[in-house]
């Protein structure tokens, strides 16, 4: 059985990360939204509280003092939409369950606390569908373009880097395509290990129109997934090198022909580092943005980890 190529494996990884990350994100928030709704349904005792503080935090929350049937006084913070109506000293009707210290607004228009759990699920689904749509479009475009008639050209592998990036910054893979009439074009592609052994001016077959992304077929039959359209020059801020800067055993030793040399940095390590970075940033941002609340902080961490890893996969990483 033929093993799937790097482009397919990266694509499957990106789809899996997107689906898994969104499932965890939606499941975590959905579970707490259901618990909130169940607790609100049990709140049958109604009473009128008093707003003792307003304009709390960036969202202008309010703090309400209310007294239950056992004459116990409670202070509770509520997010509200109508911040102009609920000022300090105004009445705020609430409902609570007997024996509970948690109250819920009885105003049907004040659903901010529940919406804070439900709205991110909707926004997360939109982001997940967008990322999945990019992968579907990339695969569909590759299939359709590969079926178009091909034209012979020669190719030279180039490696791009940002002008302001350091030497360890991720690289991009480009092919400099030369037509029989001498016309040169550039096509960015997803990395494939065959490219590291492809000599300059190798004969290739280019499928697609001159103004759209082109699928390049190497002499051994490998078809490369295009990223972006055919260009007359590199993208803004990108410098092209003729050779990849490798640091493996081939630079210092003569190895047997059948020796398989692994990259110095495995592809999955960058993905794991990206996921860990997203999780750490998400935890910090979650606690800062939500005032130390655990539920949204975990949700933001899950969202950030999945989003950064999915974006990393979409960027066509290479060792």
């Amino acid at each position: 059985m033929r093993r799937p190529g790097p482009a397919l494996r990266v694509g499957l990884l990106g789809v899996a990360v997107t689906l898994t990350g969104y499932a965890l994100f939606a499941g975590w928030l959905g579970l707490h939204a259901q618990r909130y709704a169940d607790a609100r349904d049990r709140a049958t005792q109604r009473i009128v509280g008093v707003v003792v503080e307003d304009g709390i935090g960036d969202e202008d929350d309010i703090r309400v003092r209310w007294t239950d049937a056992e004459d116990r006084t409670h202070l509770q913070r509520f997010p509200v939409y109508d911040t102009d109506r609920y000022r300090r000293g105004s009445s705020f009707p609430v409902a609570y369950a007997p024996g509970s210290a948690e109250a819920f607004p009885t105003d049907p228009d004040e659903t901010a606390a529940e919406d804070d759990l439900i709205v991110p699920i909707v926004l997360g689904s939109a982001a997940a569908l967008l990322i999945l749509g990019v992968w579907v479009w990339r695969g569909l475009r590759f299939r359709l373009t590969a079926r178009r008639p091909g034209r012979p050209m020669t190719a030279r592998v180039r490696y791009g880097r940002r002008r302001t990036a350091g030497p360890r910054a991720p690289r991009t893979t480009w092919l400099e395509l030369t037509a029989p009439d001498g016309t040169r074009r550039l096509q960015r592609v997803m990395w494939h290990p065959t490219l590291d052994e492809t000599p300059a001016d190798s004969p290739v077959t280019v499928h697609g129109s001159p103004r759209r992304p082109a699928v390049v077929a190497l002499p051994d039959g490998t078809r490369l997934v295009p990223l972006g359209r055919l260009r007359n020059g590199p993208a803004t801020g990108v410098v092209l090198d003729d050779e990849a800067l490798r640091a493996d055993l081939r630079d210092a030793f003569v190895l047997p022909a059948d020796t398989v040399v692994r990259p110095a940095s495995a592809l999955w390590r960058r993905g794991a580092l990206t996921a860990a970075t997203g999780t750490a940033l998400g935890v910090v941002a979650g606690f800062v943005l939500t005032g130390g609340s655990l539920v949204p902080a975990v949700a933001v961490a899950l969202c950030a980890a999945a989003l950064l890893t999915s974006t990393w996969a979409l960027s066509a990483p290479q060792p």
Side-chain angles (χ1 to χ4, degrees), residues 159-166 169-172 174 237-241:
Y159 295 92
R161 57 181 176 81
R162 289 285 176 183
R163 294 180 185 271
T164 58
R171 299 173 299 160
T172 53
W174 298 75
V238 174
V239 178
L240 297 183
D241 298 325

Side-chain angles (χ1 to χ4, degrees), residues 4-319:
L8 179 58
R9 294 200 297 272
V10 171
L12 293 176
L13 174 63
V15 171
V17 167
T18 302
L19 293 176
T20 303
Y22 172 70
L24 293 173
F25 172 75
W28 175 260
L29 288 179
L31 175 62
H32 287 83
Q34 184 61 47
R35 289 178 177 175
Y36 179 89
D38 292 342
R40 184 188 55 197
D41 292 340
R42 293 192 297 267
T44 57
Q45 299 289 330
R46 292 176 178 265
I47 198 170
V48 177
V50 178
V51 178
V52 297
E53 188 179 357
D54 58 31
I56 303 173
D58 296 335
E59 302 296 330
D60 291 337
D61 294 349
I62 62 174
R63 184 169 283 109
V64 177
R65 182 174 63 241
W66 57 278
T67 305
D68 59 23
E70 299 178 358
D71 206 27
R72 292 180 299 186
T73 301
H74 305 272
L75 284 175
Q76 184 174 340
R77 179 171 171 173
F78 292 90
V80 292
Y81 288 124
D82 196 347
T83 56
D84 292 331
R85 181 159 56 128
Y86 294 112
R87 292 294 186 180
R88 183 176 180 180
S90 61
S91 300
F92 189 77
V94 298
Y96 67 96
S100 174
E102 182 182 15
F104 302 87
T106 58
D107 185 344
D109 293 330
E110 295 299 346
T111 58
E114 185 176 17
D115 292 345
D116 286 345
L117 297 172
I118 297 177
V119 171
I121 298 177
V122 178
L123 297 179
S125 67
L129 288 175
L130 177 63
I131 294 174
L132 293 176
V134 174
W135 281 116
V136 171
W137 169 241
R138 183 176 289 181
L140 182 62
R141 184 181 63 184
F142 169 76
R143 290 289 184 181
L144 294 177
T145 305
R147 293 178 180 178
R148 299 184 62 125
R151 56 190 186 279
M153 301 181 78
T154 59
R156 176 188 293 269
V157 182
R158 309 290 296 275
Y159 295 92
R161 57 181 176 81
R162 289 285 176 183
R163 294 180 185 271
T164 58
R168 298 182 63 85
R171 299 173 299 160
T172 53
T173 305
W174 298 75
L175 291 180
E176 184 181 280
L177 303 171
T178 304
D181 61 359
T183 303
R184 295 178 182 272
R185 305 295 295 276
L186 286 172
Q187 174 66 66
R188 187 187 169 199
V189 296
M190 293 187 72
W191 176 82
H192 193 282
T194 304
L195 292 173
D196 289 343
E197 307 299 335
T198 301
D201 300 326
S202 295
V204 296
T205 304
V206 180
H207 301 268
S209 63
R211 297 183 179 272
R212 294 184 177 274
V215 173
V216 179
L218 299 179
D220 64 354
T222 300
R223 295 182 301 177
L224 304 173
V225 179
L227 299 172
R229 59 180 175 81
L230 275 171
R231 293 175 172 269
N232 293 322
T236 304
V238 174
V239 178
L240 297 183
D241 298 325
D242 288 333
E243 296 183 358
L245 298 177
R246 291 183 308 212
D248 57 35
L249 294 177
R250 285 170 293 188
D251 296 329
F253 301 96
V254 177
L255 302 177
D258 296 334
T259 301
V260 177
V261 180
R262 302 297 181 187
S265 177
L267 186 62
W268 64 267
R269 292 183 181 176
R270 285 190 180 271
L273 180 60
T274 302
T277 302
T279 302
L281 293 177
V283 170
V284 173
F287 277 108
V288 171
L289 296 176
T290 62
S293 180
L294 177 62
V295 174
V298 173
V300 172
L302 291 172
C303 179
L307 184 60
L308 261 67
T309 308
S310 300
T311 304
W312 167 81
L314 280 174
S315 68
Q318 65 181 76

